[in-house]
Amino acid sequence: MNSRNFLRGWTASLLVGIAVGSYAQVIDKEAYIAPPKPVADLLNAPRHLNVNLTNLSPDGSRFLIANSGGMSDLQSVGKVYFTLGGLQVDANANRARSMTTRGAVGYDLFEWNTSKRYSIQIPPGSKVTGAAWSNDGKQVAFFAHFELRSEIWIAEAASGKTRRLSGISVLPVHVTNLQWVNGDKEIVSVVVPDNRTPTPKRPRIASQPRVMVTNSGRDSLRTYRGLLETQYDQDLLEYYSVGQLVRIDAKSGQVKRIGEPKMILSVNPSPDGKHFIVRTMLKPFSYLVPMSSFGTVEEIWDESGKAVVEIRKTPLRTGGGAPDPDFFDEDDEQGRGGRGGGGQAGATNNGRRNLSWRPDGEGLSYLQLEPQQQGQATRQDQVIQWVAPFGKDDAKPIYKTNERIGSVSYAADMKTLFLTGTAGSNSVLYTVNIDQPEKKTTLYSYATDDFYANPGRLMTAPGAKGVDVVRVSSTGRVFLSGTQYSKDPEKEAPRPFLDAVSISDGKKERVWHSSDTMYETLNEILDSEGSTLVLNRQSRDVLPDNWLYSTQTKDAKKLTQNVDYQAEVSRCPTQRIQVTRVDGFKFWVTVTTPKFFVAGQKAPAMFWFYPSEFATQQAYNDRQRTYNKNQFPTFGNLSVEYLTTLGYVIVEPDCPIVGPQNRINDFYLSDLRNNLSATIDELDKRGLIDRDRLGIGGHSYGAFSTAHAMIQTPYFKAGIAGDGNYNRTLTPFAFQSEQRLIWESRELYINMSPMLYAENLNGALLMYHGMDDMNVGTHPINSERMFNALEVLGKTASLYMYPYEDHGPIASETLNDIWARWVEWLDRYVKNAGKEKPKEAGDGGTN
C-alpha cells in the first residue's frame, strides 16, 4: 500500500504564504508553502474553465462538456490506495485511483444552434467520469463516484435531469467505460460481484518466502516499480480485478448477470447486447513484470456468459513482449491510455485481423488470408462476415482481393467498403461495392515516405447501432481530414484541411482550408454534406475558441468565450533562434523574455530542457516539420515561463544527441556540452541572457540531464531536477532509447551515472521526487542516494519528497510548494549570484 498515513499530520492542507523578499526559511521549512503572488496567480488561475467542443451527441444537436475542478488536492490524492503490478486502485471505493484523484466535478450540455449551455444535475458529493451518449443522443450515462462506491447515473439530454440507474456498485478498475446496447434499452458494465468476500488482510506473520526462479534462456526486462511482491499483493490484485459482467435495463434498473465473475480487463458488447468480446486476465501472476505483461485470453461470450470461441490467448510475458500502452514506459511523461475492448489490429490466434462488430449489428467483421492451397503461389485477402453462434461454418467472405488489406470500414448501406493497403511504396485507400467487386475506385494513393503528401484520414460518424460508419454525403462523397505542412515552417504554419472525394470517380474538392494566419482545426462536421463545421481557431496572439463555420457562405460564428487567465505569460515575447554547435550541427532554441525586456539588460536566465536522440541532421530537421508558429502558447502546472514575472529569461533549447541508432549514447556527454555551450554563446552574443546568472532544470530524463549539465559544464549556478534517475546502474537492463545491457557496455552506464561524478557538480542542485513514482527507471531512491552523495561531498543541495505523488505532481498543495522552493532557490543562487554570500541549504532546519 502506497498511502503514507504517518505523514498525514505533516501533509495537512496547510499552505504557509511567503511574501516576496521574506524567504529566510523557505528552503528548509517543513510545511506546505505558497510561492510569491505573481507565480501563485498564474499557477492557480482557473484555466480549466475554458472549453473545447469535441464530444458531439450522435444526433448532432449538442456537445457534452466535462467540467474540471482544476488541480487535485491532498484530500483526494491522499486517499488510501494500493499499487498492484502497475495498477493503482482506490482501496475503499473499488475503482481506478485516477477516478478519485482526477474525476470531473460536473457535466454541461451545449446546444450549438442556440448557444444554450445548461448543467446535468450530478448527485451531490460526487465526481463523474465515463460519460457515454445513448445511440439516439437523447441520454447520457455516467459513473458517479462517491467516497466509498461508484454508481451509474443517467441524464436526459433535453433537460439535464438525472436519475440513479441502479443501487448496484460498479467496479471501474479495469473497465472504465459504459456502453449502450439493444437499441439504448440497456447498459453494459462490470460491477462488484454478489456475495463478495472481505478484502484480503495482510498476514501478521509471513507464511512463505517470495520465490523467483529464472527461466531458461535470456529475458528482456525493464526496471519496473510497483511490482507484486507477496502472495498478499497477488490476492489483492485478484480481489480488485474480479468483476461481474452485467446488462442493466436503462429504465427499470433491473440487472442481468452475464456468466460468472472473472478478472475482466475489457468488454466490447455487440450492438444487440447478446454477445461480448471479453478479455480476462489469467494466472499465474509474476513478481518480475507488471500486470500489463500477465497472461490474458480474449473470447466471445454469449448472453449466458459461455465462451463460444477463443479469439486470442497470450501467455505471461516475463521479457521481450511489447509494452502495454496503459502503463508508463521508460521516462515516459504521457498519461496512461484508455482501455479498449476487442478489435485489435494484430492477428488473432486464428489469423483473423481487425476483428470488430459490424455497424449493422449482423455479427463481426474481420480480415483473413484465404487458406493456403497446395501449389498456390499467392493467397487472396478477404473481408469476412462472421455471424452468431460464431462457429467455423458461420463465416463467409464478402470481398476478396489479390492485394493485402490494411483495414476495412463500412458505409451505412453495408455494401460500400473502404479499404486501405499498399501498392509498391504507396499507401492507398480505395472503395468497392460488394455487388460489383470488380469495380474499384481509388480515393488516394501517395508515397508512404512523403510526409507532405499525406491526404488525411477518412471521416466517420456514429452509426445507428453505436458502431461508427464512414460519413457519406447525399451526393456520394466522403471526407478526408488532414494537415498541409510547409517545407519552411518558420514562414508558413501547418494548415488543416477538409477534402470531399467522390466515391464514383475519385475526384477531389477542397471543402475547407485553415487560414494561413490562424491555426484552425476541425472539431466536428455537423451535417452529412460537410457544409457546417465546428472549428477551433487560434493564433500566437489569439486564445483558442470554437467557431461555427459554413463552408458554403464562409460565415463564422463564435460559440465559446474562453478567457486568457495567464496573460502575464502568454503575452511575453517569444522567439526561435537557430544555433550552430562546434561540429556544425544546427538546432533550435526557444527564448521567452519578460514583457518589457530589452536586449542587453543582462537578465538572469532559466534553461529547461529534455534531450532527444537522432541519427542525423536530416532526422532532426524532419522533427521540425510540424512546428506551428500560429499556435497560442499554453501553460501547465510546471511551466517555467511563470518565472518571467520575476524577471527571468526562459531558454528552452532542443538538445539533440546524435549518433548511430545502437550507439547514440556514446555521444551523449559531448553533445550535451556542445549543445549548451553553443546556446549560451549565441544568446549571450544577442544580449538575451546574463551568462554569469544561469539556472538549468528538467523533469524525468530532463532531470537526469540537468545533473549531467551541472557536472559536465561550469555554466550553471543552480539546477532544478524532478523525478530523475542519477545512477544508471539501477537501470541495468537498458534505459530511454539505450538497448545495450550494462554487461555489454559497462563503461557507458558508469559514465552516464551523474551520481558517480557528483564530486564535480558545480552550483546548487534542488531535487524533487514523488514518493510513489511508478515510472520505469526513476525510482525515488535515485534522488535519495543523489542527495546523500551531495551531502557527503559538501555540495549545496536540497531534496523535497512529496507523498502520494507519482511521476509528476498533481496535488495543488504539492505544486504550490514546489514553486515556492523553486523561486527561492533560483533567487538565492541565480538571480542574486555574486551579490551576497548565500545561506547554505539546511542552515536552521532539518536535512
Side-chain angles (χ1 to χ4, degrees):
M1 184 173 68
N2 284 338
S3 183
R4 289 163 168 74
N5 292 325
F6 68 89
L7 286 167
R8 285 187 181 274
W10 179 57
T11 59
S13 57
L14 170 66
L15 284 174
V16 181
I18 306 294
V20 177
S22 61
Y23 273 72
Q25 296 186 16
V26 174
I27 288 174
D28 50 23
K29 192 170 189 67
E30 290 187 306
Y32 282 99
I33 55 180
K37 189 175 186 302
V39 171
D41 288 348
L42 292 168
L43 173 64
N44 299 299
R47 57 190 186 276
H48 58 275
L49 298 180
N50 286 332
V51 171
N52 187 24
L53 302 174
T54 57
N55 192 349
L56 183 67
S57 59
D59 64 2
S61 64
R62 49 178 66 88
F63 288 90
L64 181 71
I65 300 170
N67 297 321
S68 168
M71 290 183 284
S72 303
D73 59 24
L74 283 176
Q75 294 302 310
S76 59
V77 173
K79 291 184 185 299
V80 177
Y81 65 98
F82 295 106
T83 296
L84 306 167
L87 174 74
Q88 292 189 335
V89 181
D90 182 325
N92 293 322
N94 297 296
R95 58 178 173 252
R97 183 189 178 223
S98 60
M99 294 187 169
T100 297
T101 61
R102 294 179 180 266
V105 296
Y107 290 123
D108 284 356
L109 294 163
F110 179 82
E111 296 177 350
W112 59 266
N113 198 35
T114 63
S115 294
K116 177 184 176 183
R117 179 173 174 173
Y118 53 99
S119 296
I120 286 177
Q121 300 168 2
I122 70 165
S126 68
K127 289 183 178 179
V128 290
T129 66
W133 285 106
S134 60
N135 297 321
D136 62 6
K138 294 181 179 180
Q139 300 178 89
V140 179
F142 58 91
F143 290 121
H145 303 296
F146 300 94
E147 184 74 16
L148 299 177
R149 59 189 276 128
S150 296
E151 300 174 347
I152 300 173
W153 286 61
I154 293 180
E156 298 298 325
S159 65
K161 292 182 179 179
T162 58
R163 56 187 172 86
R164 186 172 70 171
L165 177 59
S166 171
I168 197 166
S169 291
V170 293
L171 187 75
V173 172
H174 300 294
V175 181
T176 56
N177 61 316
L178 295 167
Q179 299 178 74
W180 295 80
V181 297
N182 191 19
D184 295 336
K185 295 177 182 177
E186 295 175 307
I187 289 174
V188 170
S189 186
V190 174
V191 303
V192 174
D194 297 331
N195 304 316
R196 193 189 199 193
T197 60
T199 309
K201 301 296 182 184
R202 184 186 298 274
R204 189 176 66 86
I205 301 295
S207 60
Q208 63 188 61
R210 179 162 55 132
V211 177
M212 294 186 287
V213 179
T214 59
N215 297 314
S216 60
R218 297 178 63 173
D219 274 344
S220 175
L221 294 174
R222 304 305 290 263
T223 311
Y224 300 106
R225 195 183 177 212
L227 299 176
L228 302 179
E229 296 184 355
T230 65
Q231 181 61 50
Y232 170 64
D233 288 346
Q234 294 195 48
D235 293 342
L236 284 174
L237 176 59
E238 182 172 9
Y239 178 81
Y240 285 108
S241 295
V242 171
Q244 174 67 60
L245 179 62
V246 297
R247 289 194 331 229
I248 307 176
D249 188 283
K251 286 188 176 180
S252 68
Q254 183 178 356
V255 178
K256 180 176 181 180
R257 289 157 180 80
I258 310 298
E260 297 298 318
K262 290 192 176 182
M263 293 187 288
I264 299 174
L265 298 177
S266 64
V267 178
N268 186 3
S270 62
D272 62 7
K274 293 183 178 180
H275 289 87
F276 310 83
I277 299 175
V278 181
R279 186 165 59 102
T280 55
M281 185 161 56
L282 302 175
K283 288 184 174 182
F285 299 155
S286 172
Y287 298 131
L288 287 175
V289 292
M291 190 199 76
S292 56
S293 294
F294 292 178
T296 61
V297 62
E298 192 171 25
E299 302 165 315
I300 300 176
W301 292 6
D302 64 20
E303 56 185 332
S304 72
K306 177 185 176 183
V308 296
V309 66
E310 181 182 292
I311 297 172
R312 177 189 289 108
K313 191 170 188 177
T314 305
L316 171 68
R317 304 179 305 284
T318 56
D324 190 317
D326 291 340
F327 291 85
F328 282 125
D329 199 1
E330 166 74 13
D331 293 329
D332 178 12
E333 296 182 55
Q334 305 301 314
R336 292 172 172 80
R339 300 176 186 275
Q344 287 91 340
T348 69
N349 293 348
N350 296 296
R352 304 183 188 98
R353 315 187 317 273
N354 295 81
L355 183 71
S356 60
W357 297 110
R358 284 171 51 102
D360 61 354
E362 298 298 320
L364 288 155
S365 169
Y366 64 85
L367 306 175
Q368 189 177 47
L369 289 170
E370 66 178 351
Q372 180 75 52
Q373 303 294 329
Q374 187 173 3
Q376 185 179 17
T378 59
R379 291 188 288 170
Q380 287 191 312
D381 212 353
Q382 309 169 105
V383 179
I384 293 179
Q385 179 183 9
W386 195 18
V387 298
F390 306 106
K392 290 182 179 180
D393 298 329
D394 299 319
K396 67 174 182 178
I398 61 172
Y399 174 72
K400 294 184 177 183
T401 177
N402 291 325
E403 289 84 31
R404 185 67 179 264
I405 304 169
S407 65
V408 60
S409 303
Y410 295 83
D413 64 9
M414 296 304 297
K415 292 187 176 183
T416 308
L417 309 184
F418 300 87
L419 304 110
T420 63
T422 58
S425 61
N426 282 7
S427 293
V428 297
L429 169 68
Y430 60 95
T431 182
V432 296
N433 188 294
I434 59 176
D435 290 338
Q436 297 177 295
E438 70 286 348
K439 183 180 179 181
K440 181 171 74 173
T441 302
T442 299
L443 303 182
Y444 68 61
S445 177
Y446 74 101
T448 305
D449 60 357
D450 187 347
F451 174 80
Y452 301 99
N454 192 317
R457 63 185 177 89
L458 191 63
M459 299 296 287
T460 61
K465 297 191 176 183
V467 180
D468 283 357
V469 294
V470 174
R471 185 185 292 270
V472 182
S473 73
S474 62
T475 56
R477 301 196 302 176
V478 296
F479 300 94
L480 296 173
S481 175
T483 301
Q484 173 188 303
Y485 291 98
S486 168
K487 294 185 178 180
D488 188 356
E490 298 297 317
K491 292 183 179 179
E492 185 178 0
R495 297 181 62 190
F497 61 81
L498 183 68
D499 287 344
V501 187
S502 171
I503 293 175
S504 62
D505 57 17
K507 288 184 178 179
K508 182 187 296 184
E509 176 191 358
R510 181 135 298 177
V511 175
W512 164 78
H513 204 180
S514 172
S515 162
D516 60 353
T517 58
M518 303 283 288
Y519 181 56
E520 299 170 308
T521 53
L522 175 63
N523 280 17
E524 292 287 352
I525 301 175
L526 295 177
D527 64 336
S528 61
E529 308 307 307
S531 60
T532 307
L533 313 178
V534 172
L535 306 177
N536 183 289
R537 177 180 290 178
Q538 61 183 292
S539 74
R540 176 59 184 81
D541 302 313
V542 176
L543 186 75
D545 261 307
N546 296 132
W547 292 73
L548 189 66
Y549 179 80
S550 169
T551 60
Q552 296 177 341
T553 67
K554 314 304 180 187
D555 291 336
K557 173 187 174 184
K558 195 174 184 181
L559 295 176
T560 57
Q561 303 295 328
N562 291 333
V563 176
D564 185 1
Y565 294 104
Q566 298 174 311
E568 285 299 308
V569 286
S570 67
R571 306 302 179 186
C572 287
T574 299
Q575 55 185 306
R576 262 169 57 98
I577 297 170
Q578 192 172 55
V579 172
T580 304
R581 68 189 191 195
V582 66
D583 61 357
F585 197 97
K586 299 180 184 298
F587 63 96
W588 291 92
V589 178
T590 301
V591 180
T592 304
T593 54
K595 271 188 176 181
F596 304 108
F597 176 83
V598 177
Q601 281 184 347
K602 291 284 186 179
M606 181 62 182
F607 283 54
W608 194 264
F609 75 138
Y610 190 103
S612 297
E613 294 91 353
F614 302 93
T616 62
Q617 176 78 66
Q618 186 59 51
Y620 172 80
N621 293 345
D622 287 348
R623 178 77 65 86
Q624 309 306 307
R625 295 178 299 194
T626 58
Y627 167 66
N628 188 352
K629 68 174 187 174
N630 285 342
Q631 202 156 15
F632 186 82
T634 56
F635 307 98
N637 294 329
L638 295 181
S639 292
V640 288
E641 287 86 351
Y642 297 162
L643 292 170
T644 57
T645 61
L646 303 180
Y648 290 88
V649 172
I650 304 304
V651 180
E652 297 171 279
D654 288 348
C655 192
I657 309 300
V658 185
Q661 185 173 4
N662 61 342
R663 292 184 54 233
I664 287 181
N665 280 322
D666 292 358
F667 306 93
Y668 173 87
L669 294 177
S670 58
D671 282 357
L672 179 73
R673 289 190 294 264
N674 291 338
N675 290 329
L676 295 172
S677 177
T679 299
I680 292 168
D681 287 346
E682 181 65 30
L683 301 188
D684 179 50
K685 182 176 70 177
R686 293 172 180 246
L688 294 174
I689 61 172
D690 181 350
R691 67 183 304 145
D692 293 324
R693 292 190 293 162
L694 302 179
I696 189 167
H699 188 84
S700 192
Y701 199 63
F704 161 80
S705 299
T706 293
H708 273 301
M710 296 178 69
I711 289 169
Q712 297 292 327
T713 76
Y715 306 126
F716 303 102
K717 295 294 191 292
I720 292 173
D723 291 344
N725 178 297
Y726 310 107
N727 184 352
R728 282 301 170 193
T729 68
L730 296 176
T731 56
F733 317 123
F735 60 90
Q736 197 74 356
S737 65
E738 180 58 60
Q739 295 303 307
R740 291 168 288 182
L741 306 183
I742 191 172
W743 303 276
E744 298 167 335
S745 190
R746 186 177 288 104
E747 185 176 351
L748 173 75
Y749 277 74
I750 292 172
N751 289 339
M752 293 193 70
S753 297
M755 193 189 81
L756 301 184
Y757 298 91
E759 78 277 12
N760 296 324
L761 185 122
N762 300 292
L765 179 61
L766 179 155
M767 293 178 289
Y768 64 93
H769 214 123
M771 288 184 177
D772 295 332
D773 185 353
M774 292 294 126
N775 184 48
V776 173
T778 56
H779 192 293
I781 198 172
N782 279 277
S783 292
E784 294 168 354
R785 293 296 177 261
M786 184 66 168
F787 178 80
N788 293 153
L790 297 175
E791 169 75 5
V792 168
L793 293 166
K795 301 295 182 176
T796 301
S798 62
L799 171 60
Y800 305 100
M801 302 291 292
Y802 290 101
Y804 321 122
E805 301 288 5
D806 200 330
H807 192 64
I810 61 173
S812 173
E813 292 86 343
T814 301
L815 289 160
N816 277 273
D817 187 85
I818 283 176
W819 272 105
R821 316 285 183 175
W822 283 14
V823 169
E824 168 62 4
W825 197 260
L826 295 175
D827 279 359
R828 181 177 295 191
Y829 297 111
V830 176
K831 182 182 286 186
N832 297 314
K835 293 185 179 181
E836 59 184 34
K837 183 180 178 180
K839 175 186 174 183
E840 292 300 319
D843 289 356
T846 301
N847 276 333

